[in-house]
Amino acid sequence: MELWLNDRIEGQMCSVRVVNVLHMEKSRYQEIAVVETENYGKALVLNGALQLTEKDEFFYHEMLVHVPMSLHPCPEKVLIIGGGDGGSLREVLKHESVKRAVMVEIDERVVEICKEFFPTVSCGFSDPRAELLYEDGVRFVEETEERFDVVLVDSTDPYDFAEKLFSEEFFRNVYRVLTEDGVCSSQTESPFIMGALIRKVGSYLRSLFKYSAVYWTVVPTYPGGLWTFTLGSKMHDPLSFRSLDGIKTRFYSSEVHKASLAGNISDIVEMKERT
Amino acid sequence: MELWLNDRIEGQMCSVRVVNVLHMEKSRYQEIAVVETENYGKALVLNGALQLTEKDEFFYHEMLVHVPMSLHPCPEKVLIIGGGDGGSLREVLKHESVKRAVMVEIDERVVEICKEFFPTVSCGFSDPRAELLYEDGVRFVEETEERFDVVLVDSTDPYDFAEKLFSEEFFRNVYRVLTEDGVCSSQTESPFIMGALIRKVGSYLRSLFKYSAVYWTVVPTYPGGLWTFTLGSKMHDPLSFRSLDGIKTRFYSSEVHKASLAGNISDIVEMKERT
């Protein structure tokens, strides 16, 4: 028997061969599964969409986190919306300046399962600087009086309960909870499959922030392989960033930072040619 | 009815939704198909493996060509092995220094079909500097007495008649047909799916050339999304390259060149952590 996990977004599908199904349950919010894949180690799957694999998760987590973190001269308070697997939290906590990292995840079961099956991803949960809240991130940024230097939106695909994490009102509240030189970044899907979404989020952030930019990473196990993030920055230019020499990474580097912001991806989203 | 093109390499598959099948034939060497996809325009498919799409082919062709071309101070004679669609030839001919570009493609029907269905890719065939030979590239590099400044190996996956394009003997002959400061580059598949192939080609090139390096691009419609090339250079350091300011590209830039060589990909191939 051959088992394949088919992860489809619109007209494209990424499939990985599955060796074993390790866990499957329905939480209050979604179906949560853990499978063992042939090429990528264990994978976390939410409502049929592959979220991460052990072997390639660093591409996504390092780029979501270190690009915005390196713009801020001294990020002390960081907010993560979503990110229940802990990968983004792990990368945030690599920054010694961070005194407090608040993660607001709607589904406690995702965290519990990742603690059990993905210890190298969820390792930050035990850090005393980390605080976990099991709440709706949309409501959290509406109501909190706290302010953060960096806000990271680490969401699933923009369907169902995650849809509001791509709305104008949500980003207005992200702006509100940021300090006066705060930076935010949000995952915004594949430019070839979801170009309209990237242009929409870009227009929200452009109208709110002094600087906004779309940048990219590769994620070998996501449909379309090329993945985007969109960032907003109140004061700091995305191309003037600190070199993160003391931080261990597998993909992120100053060269990758520059390349991912080099303007190409916006041209691709808009389908223009560079000169 | 939903039609999907499923392109599988080992335990991973990239599938794109197909709107229309425009052409299908069996040539002497392979099955050649052209389909219209939902997200990526027209696609060329050889023996079931997607070779290129109109919308994302530039990632592959620009990176195969401009990284090695920019190492050489003045590439005048260029050899392309394979590359029947013409995309690599188009990029080579953007370099004004090029006086002669020889393309050795085994299957004339691929060229004919690409001229008909992919005019923006095959546009270089009419350039007077281009010479097309319908021959086996393996035999060509064995027998020719010509010498080239740059050799580009633009092959299909390493199966069937393309397998020899990844052999030690083939790369010895590539070295032989290069000028004394020549540079070569070869597509070497996905690091997560075909890591062993990359390490094998890397060991051949390391033993032949003063410099060798693996570098990467994204290709949204290839299985694994992240794609590698392996280069060999007799004299010129891959990180000392000319800025290609006068050349129009959509992905390649000096920043992308540096990032793609930044050492991360070798670490991924070897599965090591960067510090």
Side-chain angles (χ1 to χ4, degrees):
Chain A
M1 177 174 79
E2 275 205 2
L3 283 178
W4 285 80
L5 170 71
N6 296 326
D7 182 10
R8 170 177 168 179
I9 302 181
E10 307 295 331
Q12 187 159 9
M13 191 154 70
C14 179
S15 309
V16 291
R17 192 149 62 192
V18 167
V19 177
N20 201 0
V21 177
L22 303 173
H23 184 82
M24 181 123 64
E25 70 173 61
K26 294 228 179 224
S27 76
R28 193 175 146 198
Y29 298 98
Q30 56 205 332
E31 182 202 78
I32 308 172
V34 179
V35 299
E36 178 78 34
T37 69
E38 181 174 312
N39 291 320
Y40 294 95
K42 286 191 281 249
L44 174 70
V45 187
L46 299 181
N47 280 346
L50 187 149
Q51 301 297 305
L52 66 85
T53 78
E54 285 178 309
K55 287 205 185 167
D56 81 338
E57 52 87 15
F58 61 90
F59 288 104
Y60 173 94
H61 290 127
E62 290 183 4
M63 292 299 280
L64 172 63
V65 171
H66 299 308
V67 172
M69 291 289 281
S70 67
L71 306 193
H72 197 283
C74 185
E76 296 187 352
K77 285 181 70 181
V78 178
L79 172 64
I80 301 165
I81 306 285
D85 51 70
S88 297
L89 181 65
R90 177 195 64 202
E91 296 303 317
V92 164
L93 294 170
K94 287 180 180 174
H95 292 254
E96 284 187 0
S97 63
V98 171
K99 292 181 174 158
R100 183 167 143 78
V102 178
M103 197 185 102
V104 182
E105 163 64 47
I106 205 165
D107 194 343
E108 183 169 1
R109 287 301 300 153
V110 172
V111 173
E112 294 304 320
I113 287 166
C114 290
K115 279 185 186 167
E116 185 180 344
F117 289 98
F118 299 94
T120 60
V121 181
S122 60
C123 50
F125 291 134
S126 55
D127 191 294
R129 297 172 293 165
E131 182 181 344
L132 261 76
L133 301 172
Y134 296 114
E135 284 181 40
D136 178 1
V138 171
R139 191 184 298 171
F140 181 85
V141 293
E142 243 172 62
E143 297 178 354
T144 184
E145 291 307 319
E146 268 201 88
R147 293 298 175 265
F148 299 91
D149 299 312
V150 174
V151 175
L152 305 166
V153 187
D154 183 3
S155 74
T156 52
D157 298 327
Y159 306 112
D160 198 33
F161 65 84
E163 207 177 334
K164 281 191 178 167
L165 297 173
F166 297 84
S167 70
E168 187 166 13
E169 197 189 350
F170 172 71
F171 285 110
R172 260 204 301 269
N173 283 317
V174 167
Y175 185 90
R176 191 185 72 80
V177 304
L178 281 167
T179 50
E180 62 184 9
D181 66 342
V183 184
C184 73
S185 181
S186 176
Q187 81 84 1
T188 41
E189 308 278 319
S190 154
F192 288 97
I193 312 172
M194 304 283 262
L197 177 95
I198 302 170
R199 290 190 291 273
K200 188 185 84 168
V201 171
S203 78
Y204 300 157
L205 294 186
R206 244 189 332 274
S207 73
L208 289 165
F209 289 86
K210 181 172 178 194
Y211 297 99
S212 72
V214 52
Y215 65 98
W216 54 269
T217 189
V218 286
V219 184
T221 51
Y222 283 3
L226 177 69
W227 214 252
T228 68
F229 305 95
T230 306
L231 69 77
S233 173
K234 287 189 179 180
M235 199 182 278
H236 307 293
D237 184 337
L239 286 169
S240 305
F241 57 96
R242 288 178 295 124
S243 166
L244 302 181
D245 289 333
I247 289 180
K248 272 194 185 181
T249 53
R250 295 191 59 195
F251 181 65
Y252 179 87
S253 65
S254 294
E255 289 83 3
V256 167
H257 184 127
K258 281 181 218 160
S260 82
L261 275 161
N264 332 54
I265 197 74
S266 329
D267 297 346
I268 292 163
V269 171
E270 309 287 345
M271 291 292 161
K272 287 183 301 196
E273 194 162 81
R274 296 179 62 243
T275 40
Chain B
M1 178 174 79
E2 276 205 1
L3 283 177
W4 286 79
L5 170 70
N6 296 325
D7 182 11
R8 171 178 168 178
I9 303 181
E10 307 295 332
Q12 188 159 9
M13 192 154 68
C14 179
S15 309
V16 292
R17 191 149 63 192
V18 167
V19 178
N20 201 359
V21 177
L22 302 174
H23 183 83
M24 182 124 64
E25 71 173 60
K26 293 226 181 225
S27 76
R28 193 175 145 198
Y29 298 97
Q30 55 205 332
E31 182 201 78
I32 308 173
V34 179
V35 299
E36 177 78 36
T37 69
E38 180 174 310
N39 291 320
Y40 294 95
K42 286 192 281 250
L44 174 71
V45 187
L46 300 180
N47 280 347
L50 188 148
Q51 301 298 307
L52 65 85
T53 78
E54 285 179 308
K55 288 204 185 168
D56 80 338
E57 51 87 15
F58 61 90
F59 288 104
Y60 174 94
H61 290 128
E62 291 183 4
M63 293 299 280
L64 171 64
V65 172
H66 298 308
V67 172
M69 292 288 281
S70 67
L71 304 195
H72 196 283
C74 185
E76 295 187 353
K77 285 181 69 180
V78 178
L79 171 65
I80 301 165
I81 306 284
D85 50 70
S88 296
L89 181 65
R90 178 195 64 200
E91 296 302 319
V92 164
L93 294 169
K94 287 181 180 174
H95 292 254
E96 285 186 1
S97 63
V98 171
K99 292 181 175 161
R100 181 168 143 80
V102 178
M103 197 185 103
V104 182
E105 163 63 46
I106 203 165
D107 194 343
E108 184 168 3
R109 288 300 301 152
V110 173
V111 173
E112 294 304 319
I113 286 167
C114 289
K115 278 185 185 167
E116 185 180 345
F117 289 98
F118 299 94
T120 60
V121 181
S122 59
C123 50
F125 291 132
S126 55
D127 191 294
R129 297 172 293 165
E131 182 182 345
L132 259 76
L133 301 174
Y134 296 114
E135 285 181 40
D136 179 0
V138 171
R139 190 183 299 172
F140 181 85
V141 294
E142 245 172 61
E143 296 178 354
T144 184
E145 291 306 320
E146 269 202 88
R147 293 296 175 264
F148 299 91
D149 299 312
V150 174
V151 174
L152 305 167
V153 188
D154 183 4
S155 74
T156 52
D157 297 327
Y159 306 112
D160 198 32
F161 66 84
E163 208 176 335
K164 282 191 178 167
L165 296 173
F166 297 86
S167 70
E168 188 166 12
E169 196 188 350
F170 172 71
F171 285 110
R172 258 203 303 267
N173 282 317
V174 167
Y175 185 90
R176 191 184 71 82
V177 305
L178 281 167
T179 49
E180 62 184 10
D181 66 341
V183 184
C184 73
S185 180
S186 176
Q187 82 84 2
T188 40
E189 308 278 318
S190 152
F192 288 97
I193 312 172
M194 305 281 263
L197 177 96
I198 303 169
R199 290 190 291 273
K200 188 184 84 168
V201 171
S203 77
Y204 299 156
L205 295 185
R206 242 190 332 275
S207 73
L208 289 165
F209 289 87
K210 180 171 179 196
Y211 297 99
S212 72
V214 51
Y215 65 97
W216 54 268
T217 188
V218 287
V219 185
T221 52
Y222 283 3
L226 177 69
W227 214 252
T228 68
F229 305 96
T230 306
L231 70 77
S233 172
K234 287 189 180 181
M235 200 182 277
H236 306 295
D237 183 337
L239 285 168
S240 304
F241 57 96
R242 288 179 296 122
S243 166
L244 303 181
D245 289 334
I247 289 180
K248 271 194 185 182
T249 53
R250 295 190 61 195
F251 181 64
Y252 179 87
S253 65
S254 295
E255 289 83 4
V256 166
H257 184 126
K258 281 181 220 160
S260 83
L261 275 161
N264 332 54
I265 197 74
S266 328
D267 296 346
I268 292 164
V269 171
E270 310 287 344
M271 289 292 161
K272 289 182 300 195
E273 193 163 81
R274 296 177 63 245
T275 39

